[in-house]
Amino acid sequence: MELLMAIVIGILFMCATYLMLSKSILRIIIGTGLLSHGAHLLILTMGGLKGDSVPLLSDEAASYADPLPQALILTAIVISFGVTSFLLVLAYRTYQELGTDDMEEMRGTETNE
Amino acid sequence: MNNLTFMPVLWPLFTGILLIFFAKKIKLQRGISLFSSFIGIVISLYLVFTVRTQGILTLGVGSWDAPFGIVIVADMLSSLLVLTTNIIGFAILLYSFYSIGEERERHYYYPVFQFLLIGVNGAFLTGDLFNLFVFFEVMLMASYVLLVLGGTKIQLRESLKYIIVNVLSSSFFVIMVAYLYSVVGTLNMADISQRISEVNQPGIISVIAIGFLIVFGLKGAIFPLFQWLPGSYYAPPIPVMALFGALLTKVGIYSIFRTYTLMFYHDQDFTHTFLAILAILTIIIGVIGAIAYWDVKKIIIYNIIIAVGVILFGISVMNEQALSGSILYIIHDMLIKAALFLLVGIMIKISGSDDLRDMGGLIKQYPAVAWTFFIAAISLAGIPPFSGFAGKLLILQGAAEKGAYLGMAVVLISSLMVLYSVMKIFMTGFWGTPKADYALTNGKVNKMLVPAVLLVIISVLFGVGTESVYPYITQAVDSLMNPEIYNKAVLKE
């Protein structure tokens, strides 16, 4: 199971890298979304995909899934939500002000300060 | 009074929340944040003296024992950096009153400023790897807002790049935490350190060590990962730029300090040699940038990169002298970079341009600015009575002991180039014939000069009084050189 997850996460990272290297801002933001998906799945996988039951004490079970990675993921998810929404609004503002969504046209050169 | 350990984080948090309620009342905002910053300095001074007398202070949040709960650890290095951060925060806040402009002040400038201080202080004080990530994010979120606040074209463009780079490095941080968790099964730094010393650094730990170097190198702008910095730091207004230049990259360096002395010190031939090579290349790149430009802001920005390289070179040598040199140098550099940015801001304010070729003869009308800049400039280069000297001397001594002569040569030559780059500003900007009539409302410049002079005076005292600061540095180095001291204090065995 972990091997399968590792391959899937690898594919997610691959797609994220490809998208983040493209010109359009929206593709880059989609890339960051995929990247954080990959990172979150990686925490889950690296914590081990074992255990009989969900981490709830009311369920009588011999073993539980590791609760720590789940808490870490929950934290990381809300943080990346916050950053992504900020980034989306910033991209919108940038589009309004600069009139382009092409990163190539956003160079900082001597004439373009 | 163990809660003292967490006060440098809680106090700005309290202030920041309070400030949100009266965003439109600028006078009140200024008053509250200045008062709070001053109390922040008092708290962190008290923290430094308490750590001096009682050794490493730890606080298990919620009374959970060390490896299971989050631990806040104040050792000497953290408390000294927290003190420096608060002093710089105070000075830059004072400068902001006269330069940031009412429009920005009305849009939550001061609350976000406090949130940045929370992130920086928290990152210095935490003893938990994931908590470090969270404080990094607090700091970065605040820095995104400060960078883009005002919404000019260059700010929008550059903050887009800055945020994308930092989202990438944050994801990397999460990935590395996941890998390390799967190897050692804990997140507490002291516990990680102990478990790594039990397994004695197999290959996977070296891979994770380099991974963390990439993460913190992206935050701290080391050689192949610095490209975001010159553009992003160029965009915001001067006080924000000073805040970034003095604090943000230094948090990345502090994290390398922590991880490379506490956790990944078993395979030094590989990890620390790698770090040394990157540090030397960082210095070279910074030097090239610093002497290439005629833009005053760009020159100081590339000087940040040089200092990062020098401090990391000290860490990579990993003996007592070099580490104490690095600590002295990081404190000196935080103070003097903030001062230089503020002074350069005054120059730009007076002459209305950031190009050196448009300035000249400022010393005739503004001698106080000129001589303050001169002292800051020679401190930066490391001329003996001033603060940059002792740190670099100790780094060089440590390197000589280890036989790292190439690095020594690069550090020495870089000092010369640093001196050249800032003297270029001094000689073309302040000497010569005035290119225009620079008569401004003189009172405002004098007010803006106060925080810069304050920082320069502190850094001069720091340089002249190195002898009296040195016991504190020794205590900091002690717990860096012997991770057992840190581990014992945290895990209470």
Side-chain angles (χ1 to χ4, degrees):
Chain A
M1 190 61 191
E2 275 89 351
L3 185 67
L4 183 68
M5 286 294 277
I7 292 167
V8 171
I9 294 162
I11 292 170
L12 274 174
F13 284 157
M14 189 177 75
C15 298
T17 314
Y18 178 75
L19 283 169
M20 288 182 83
L21 290 175
S22 56
K23 278 185 187 176
S24 137
I25 295 178
L26 269 184
R27 279 169 180 269
I28 293 173
I29 297 177
I30 294 171
T32 61
L34 288 183
L35 187 68
S36 43
H37 282 336
H40 300 155
L41 282 177
L42 187 74
I43 307 182
L44 193 70
T45 312
M46 297 309 261
L49 297 170
K50 297 178 291 289
D52 296 332
S53 175
V54 291
L56 283 173
L57 273 182
S58 56
D59 287 358
E60 298 291 331
S63 69
Y64 296 96
D66 189 350
L68 189 65
Q70 303 190 9
L72 300 189
I73 292 169
L74 196 60
T75 314
I77 285 174
V78 292
I79 289 174
S80 72
F81 263 174
V83 175
T84 308
S85 49
F86 189 85
L87 188 52
L88 278 167
V89 174
L90 182 70
Y92 180 60
R93 278 285 293 157
T94 313
Y95 178 67
Q96 279 183 327
E97 286 282 319
L98 303 179
T100 177
D101 73 333
D102 190 341
M103 288 305 271
E104 292 272 308
E105 290 175 21
M106 292 191 203
R107 290 227 182 103
T109 53
E110 297 282 326
T111 52
N112 192 20
E113 291 300 352
Chain B
M1 257 290 274
N2 235 351
N3 286 344
L4 170 69
T5 322
F6 207 41
M7 278 313 279
V9 181
L10 288 182
W11 183 251
L13 176 66
F14 172 72
T15 317
I17 292 172
L18 187 72
L19 286 175
I20 289 175
F21 292 109
F22 341 91
K24 307 296 171 204
K25 296 188 173 134
I26 297 175
K27 287 261 154 56
L28 195 62
Q29 293 257 322
R30 288 178 178 177
I32 294 177
S33 39
L34 195 67
F35 172 73
S36 146
S37 267
F38 182 73
I39 299 291
I41 295 178
V42 175
I43 291 173
S44 43
L45 260 178
Y46 186 55
L47 181 67
V48 168
F49 288 118
T50 318
V51 173
R52 177 73 186 143
T53 49
Q54 297 182 9
I56 298 174
L57 296 180
T58 60
L59 170 68
V61 178
S63 301
W64 287 89
D65 282 340
F68 303 113
I70 287 175
V71 199
I72 306 298
V73 187
D75 69 344
M76 198 34 119
L77 175 61
S78 319
S79 1
L80 284 175
L81 290 176
V82 165
L83 176 62
T84 320
T85 304
N86 279 303
I87 292 172
I88 289 168
F90 181 78
I92 293 175
L93 194 68
L94 207 58
Y95 189 89
S96 306
F97 295 167
Y98 309 112
S99 78
I100 197 77
E102 287 200 2
E103 203 46 48
R104 287 193 169 97
E105 284 178 301
R106 207 170 287 136
H107 288 93
Y108 300 95
Y109 175 77
Y110 295 116
V112 179
F113 191 100
Q114 297 292 333
F115 289 134
L116 189 92
L117 290 186
I118 301 169
V120 174
N121 286 339
F124 287 146
L125 285 174
T126 185
D128 182 284
L129 208 52
F130 198 76
N131 199 226
L132 179 67
F133 165 73
V134 174
F135 277 122
F136 260 117
E137 289 302 310
V138 172
M139 174 186 95
L140 289 172
M141 273 296 241
S143 74
Y144 301 157
V145 179
L146 284 179
L147 183 57
V148 81
L149 191 68
T152 58
K153 280 185 183 177
I154 179 171
Q155 279 180 305
L156 287 168
R157 196 183 69 207
E158 294 303 333
S159 45
L160 204 55
K161 295 173 196 168
Y162 178 73
I163 295 177
I164 290 167
V165 167
N166 277 303
V167 167
L168 184 73
S169 81
S170 298
S171 292
F172 252 62
F173 199 162
V174 174
I175 292 166
M176 285 307 143
V177 169
Y179 282 149
L180 193 57
Y181 179 70
S182 79
V183 176
V184 295
T186 177
L187 291 170
N188 180 286
M189 290 190 200
D191 206 21
I192 292 173
S193 161
Q194 273 197 342
R195 294 202 188 179
I196 288 179
S197 65
E198 278 160 22
V199 294
N200 208 5
Q201 193 119 350
I204 183 70
I205 297 287
S206 295
V207 173
I208 294 170
I210 298 300
F212 272 112
L213 185 63
I214 293 172
V215 172
F216 297 136
L218 264 168
K219 315 272 188 205
I222 66 175
F223 160 62
L225 310 166
F226 69 93
Q227 284 93 343
W228 57 270
L229 184 135
S232 305
Y233 281 22
Y234 192 81
I238 293 290
V240 177
M241 193 190 272
L243 204 58
F244 284 14
L247 303 179
L248 294 195
T249 51
K250 305 307 182 288
V251 180
I253 300 175
Y254 163 79
S255 309
I256 294 175
F257 247 118
R258 203 37 101 207
T259 45
Y260 273 63
T261 56
L262 187 63
M263 304 173 196
F264 310 121
Y265 58 91
H266 300 280
D267 188 13
Q268 287 189 21
D269 275 347
F270 175 64
T271 51
H272 286 63
T273 312
F274 194 72
L275 187 61
I277 293 168
L278 289 187
I280 290 170
L281 289 171
T282 310
I283 299 174
I284 293 172
I285 288 292
V287 163
I288 292 173
I291 56 180
Y293 283 96
W294 283 88
D295 186 311
V296 283
K297 290 198 262 181
K298 277 267 157 69
I299 293 173
I300 309 294
I301 286 171
Y302 276 97
N303 270 304
I304 299 176
I305 300 178
I306 302 175
V308 166
V310 172
I311 298 164
L312 285 184
F313 179 67
I315 299 175
S316 75
V317 172
M318 262 302 260
N319 55 25
E320 231 160 271
Q321 273 106 343
L323 280 182
S324 43
S326 284
I327 296 174
L328 277 170
Y329 201 77
I330 195 172
I331 294 171
H332 142 79
D333 190 63
M334 287 165 82
L335 290 168
I336 212 74
K337 280 288 143 56
L340 277 172
F341 273 117
L342 299 186
L343 287 164
V344 155
I346 296 172
M347 287 176 76
I348 294 170
K349 176 95 183 164
I350 295 171
S351 64
S353 158
D354 45 22
D355 196 321
L356 267 178
R357 286 165 293 200
D358 297 343
M359 298 179 197
L362 297 187
I363 198 168
K364 295 217 170 74
Q365 272 163 301
Y366 301 96
V369 180
W371 293 115
T372 318
F373 186 88
F374 182 73
I375 294 173
I378 58 177
S379 309
L380 181 71
I383 307 287
F386 298 111
S387 57
F389 174 68
K392 245 178 211 169
L393 179 73
L394 284 167
I395 291 175
L396 290 173
Q397 244 177 30
E401 210 168 88
K402 195 136 192 219
Y405 297 113
L406 177 69
M408 280 177 71
V410 171
V411 170
L412 278 173
I413 296 170
S414 82
S415 304
L416 199 63
M417 294 301 166
V418 166
L419 186 64
Y420 168 72
S421 70
V422 282
M423 276 304 135
K424 188 164 88 176
I425 300 182
F426 184 72
M427 288 169 68
T428 44
F430 288 104
W431 286 359
T433 47
K435 296 240 167 87
D437 185 23
Y438 297 119
L440 270 181
T441 42
N442 219 327
K444 196 163 189 190
V445 170
N446 284 342
K447 277 183 192 163
M448 284 163 83
L449 192 59
V450 171
V453 170
L454 187 78
L455 285 176
V456 170
I457 287 174
I458 292 172
S459 105
V460 168
L461 289 179
F462 183 66
V464 175
T466 308
E467 199 69 33
S468 50
V469 187
Y470 199 68
Y472 295 84
I473 307 290
T474 323
Q475 194 185 350
V477 172
D478 243 17
S479 72
L480 288 183
M481 286 299 288
N482 311 302
E484 306 85 44
I485 299 177
Y486 184 95
N487 295 346
K488 235 177 230 158
V490 175
L491 299 172
K492 306 226 164 56
E493 281 160 352

